[in-house]
Amino acid sequence: MSWQAYVDDHLMCEIEGNHLTAAAIIGHDGSVWAQSDSFPQFKPEEISAIMNDFNEPGSLAPTGLHLGGMKYMVIQGEPGAVIRGKKGTGGVTVKKTIMALIIGIYDEPMTPGQCNVVVERLGDYLNDQGY
Protein backbone atom coordinates (compact mmCIF):
# COMPACT_ATOMS: atom_id res chain seq x y z
CA MET A 1 0.00 0.00 0.00
CA SER A 2 1.31 3.45 -0.84
CA TRP A 3 1.77 6.10 1.86
CA GLN A 4 -0.80 8.23 0.04
CA ALA A 5 -3.35 5.42 0.41
CA TYR A 6 -2.77 5.43 4.18
CA VAL A 7 -3.62 9.16 4.23
CA ASP A 8 -6.58 8.86 1.87
CA ASP A 9 -8.08 5.61 3.22
CA HIS A 10 -7.15 5.62 6.91
CA LEU A 11 -6.71 9.26 7.96
CA MET A 12 -9.19 11.11 5.74
CA CYS A 13 -11.79 8.38 6.24
CA GLU A 14 -15.26 8.97 7.68
CA ILE A 15 -15.69 8.42 11.43
CA GLU A 16 -19.22 8.72 12.77
CA GLY A 17 -20.10 10.99 9.85
CA ASN A 18 -17.08 13.29 10.31
CA HIS A 19 -13.72 13.70 8.57
CA LEU A 20 -10.36 15.22 9.42
CA THR A 21 -9.78 18.62 7.81
CA ALA A 22 -6.23 17.63 6.78
CA ALA A 23 -3.72 14.85 7.41
CA ALA A 24 -0.14 13.89 6.62
CA ILE A 25 2.57 11.32 7.23
CA ILE A 26 5.91 13.08 7.63
CA GLY A 27 9.32 11.52 8.25
CA HIS A 28 11.24 12.46 11.39
CA ASP A 29 13.51 14.53 9.12
CA GLY A 30 10.57 16.63 7.90
CA SER A 31 10.21 14.91 4.52
CA VAL A 32 6.61 14.48 3.38
CA TRP A 33 5.72 10.83 2.79
CA ALA A 34 2.10 11.64 1.91
CA GLN A 35 -0.45 14.35 2.66
CA SER A 36 -3.99 15.41 1.92
CA ASP A 37 -4.50 18.25 -0.57
CA SER A 38 -5.72 20.40 2.32
CA PHE A 39 -2.63 19.91 4.52
CA PRO A 40 -0.97 23.28 5.25
CA GLN A 41 2.43 24.23 3.90
CA PHE A 42 4.62 23.88 7.00
CA LYS A 43 8.10 25.12 7.81
CA PRO A 44 10.96 22.71 8.60
CA GLU A 45 11.47 24.39 11.99
CA GLU A 46 7.85 23.56 12.92
CA ILE A 47 8.57 19.84 12.44
CA SER A 48 11.89 20.22 14.30
CA ALA A 49 10.06 21.78 17.27
CA ILE A 50 7.53 18.92 17.29
CA MET A 51 10.33 16.32 17.17
CA ASN A 52 12.11 18.19 19.99
CA ASP A 53 8.96 17.98 22.14
CA PHE A 54 8.91 14.19 21.72
CA ASN A 55 12.52 14.13 22.99
CA GLU A 56 11.92 16.77 25.69
CA PRO A 57 8.21 16.52 26.64
CA GLY A 58 6.71 19.88 27.56
CA SER A 59 9.08 22.00 25.46
CA LEU A 60 6.20 23.15 23.20
CA ALA A 61 3.87 24.08 26.08
CA PRO A 62 5.20 27.65 26.60
CA THR A 63 5.22 28.61 22.89
CA GLY A 64 2.48 26.39 21.47
CA LEU A 65 2.61 23.96 18.58
CA HIS A 66 2.95 25.70 15.23
CA LEU A 67 1.98 24.02 11.96
CA GLY A 68 1.55 25.85 8.68
CA GLY A 69 1.76 29.14 10.55
CA MET A 70 -1.19 28.22 12.79
CA LYS A 71 -0.60 28.18 16.54
CA TYR A 72 -2.20 25.45 18.65
CA MET A 73 -2.30 25.47 22.44
CA VAL A 74 -0.69 22.22 23.62
CA ILE A 75 -3.05 20.11 25.74
CA GLN A 76 -2.55 16.75 27.41
CA GLY A 77 -0.83 14.09 25.36
CA GLU A 78 1.38 11.11 26.02
CA PRO A 79 5.02 12.15 26.61
CA GLY A 80 7.24 10.82 23.84
CA ALA A 81 4.29 9.36 21.89
CA VAL A 82 1.42 11.82 21.26
CA ILE A 83 1.10 15.61 21.19
CA ARG A 84 -2.37 17.17 21.10
CA GLY A 85 -3.14 20.78 20.32
CA LYS A 86 -6.28 22.93 20.41
CA LYS A 87 -7.24 26.04 18.47
CA GLY A 88 -10.77 27.42 18.68
CA THR A 89 -13.25 24.72 17.66
CA GLY A 90 -10.54 22.51 16.19
CA GLY A 91 -7.14 21.11 16.86
CA VAL A 92 -4.36 18.73 15.92
CA THR A 93 -3.11 15.30 16.99
CA VAL A 94 0.47 14.22 16.28
CA LYS A 95 1.45 10.57 16.85
CA LYS A 96 5.13 9.63 16.67
CA THR A 97 5.97 6.25 15.17
CA ILE A 98 9.35 4.58 14.81
CA MET A 99 10.06 6.45 11.53
CA ALA A 100 7.35 9.07 11.04
CA LEU A 101 4.86 11.57 12.43
CA ILE A 102 1.17 10.95 11.78
CA ILE A 103 -0.62 14.31 11.84
CA GLY A 104 -4.36 14.90 11.81
CA ILE A 105 -6.03 18.33 11.85
CA TYR A 106 -9.72 18.63 12.67
CA ASP A 107 -12.50 21.15 13.16
CA GLU A 108 -16.06 20.86 14.40
CA PRO A 109 -18.19 18.82 14.13
CA MET A 110 -15.36 16.28 14.54
CA THR A 111 -14.41 15.91 18.20
CA PRO A 112 -10.88 15.77 19.65
CA GLY A 113 -11.52 12.16 20.65
CA GLN A 114 -12.47 11.15 17.11
CA CYS A 115 -9.30 12.76 15.73
CA ASN A 116 -7.21 11.00 18.39
CA VAL A 117 -8.71 7.61 17.48
CA VAL A 118 -8.05 8.01 13.74
CA VAL A 119 -4.47 9.29 14.11
CA GLU A 120 -3.37 7.09 17.00
CA ARG A 121 -4.87 3.89 15.56
CA LEU A 122 -2.85 4.32 12.34
CA GLY A 123 0.24 5.25 14.36
CA ASP A 124 -0.06 2.13 16.51
CA TYR A 125 -0.48 -0.01 13.38
CA LEU A 126 2.61 1.51 11.72
CA ASN A 127 4.64 0.99 14.91
CA ASP A 128 3.58 -2.66 14.90
CA GLN A 129 4.77 -2.90 11.27
CA GLY A 130 8.17 -1.41 12.12
CA TYR A 131 7.52 2.03 10.64
Side-chain angles (χ1 to χ4, degrees):
M1 182 182 290
S2 76
W3 291 114
Q4 191 62 49
Y6 281 109
V7 170
D8 296 341
D9 300 342
H10 298 282
L11 293 174
M12 298 302 289
C13 63
E14 182 177 314
I15 179 168
E16 297 172 27
N18 299 317
H19 298 270
L20 291 173
T21 307
I25 302 173
I26 298 172
H28 289 179
D29 62 358
S31 61
V32 176
W33 293 10
Q35 65 183 22
S36 64
D37 292 338
S38 54
F39 197 78
Q41 181 65 45
F42 60 87
K43 298 182 181 100
E45 56 267 24
E46 293 173 333
I47 300 303
S48 296
I50 291 169
M51 284 301 299
N52 186 55
D53 192 81
F54 282 117
N55 297 326
E56 298 174 33
S59 66
L60 281 178
T63 58
L65 183 157
H66 291 81
L67 192 61
M70 298 293 284
K71 180 180 177 181
Y72 298 88
M73 179 177 67
V74 177
I75 55 177
Q76 106 290 343
E78 297 167 29
V82 179
I83 301 170
R84 298 184 184 107
K86 185 93 175 110
K87 177 176 178 54
T89 59
V92 62
T93 301
V94 183
K95 169 78 175 180
K96 182 183 180 206
T97 70
I98 296 166
M99 298 171 66
L101 300 175
I102 314 301
I103 304 174
I105 299 172
Y106 70 93
D107 208 345
E108 284 187 335
M110 182 172 248
T111 66
Q114 290 170 328
C115 178
N116 296 342
V117 166
V118 170
V119 172
E120 294 174 37
R121 186 171 43 200
L122 179 59
D124 291 342
Y125 171 78
L126 292 177
N127 272 332
D128 290 346
Q129 301 302 309
Y131 293 106

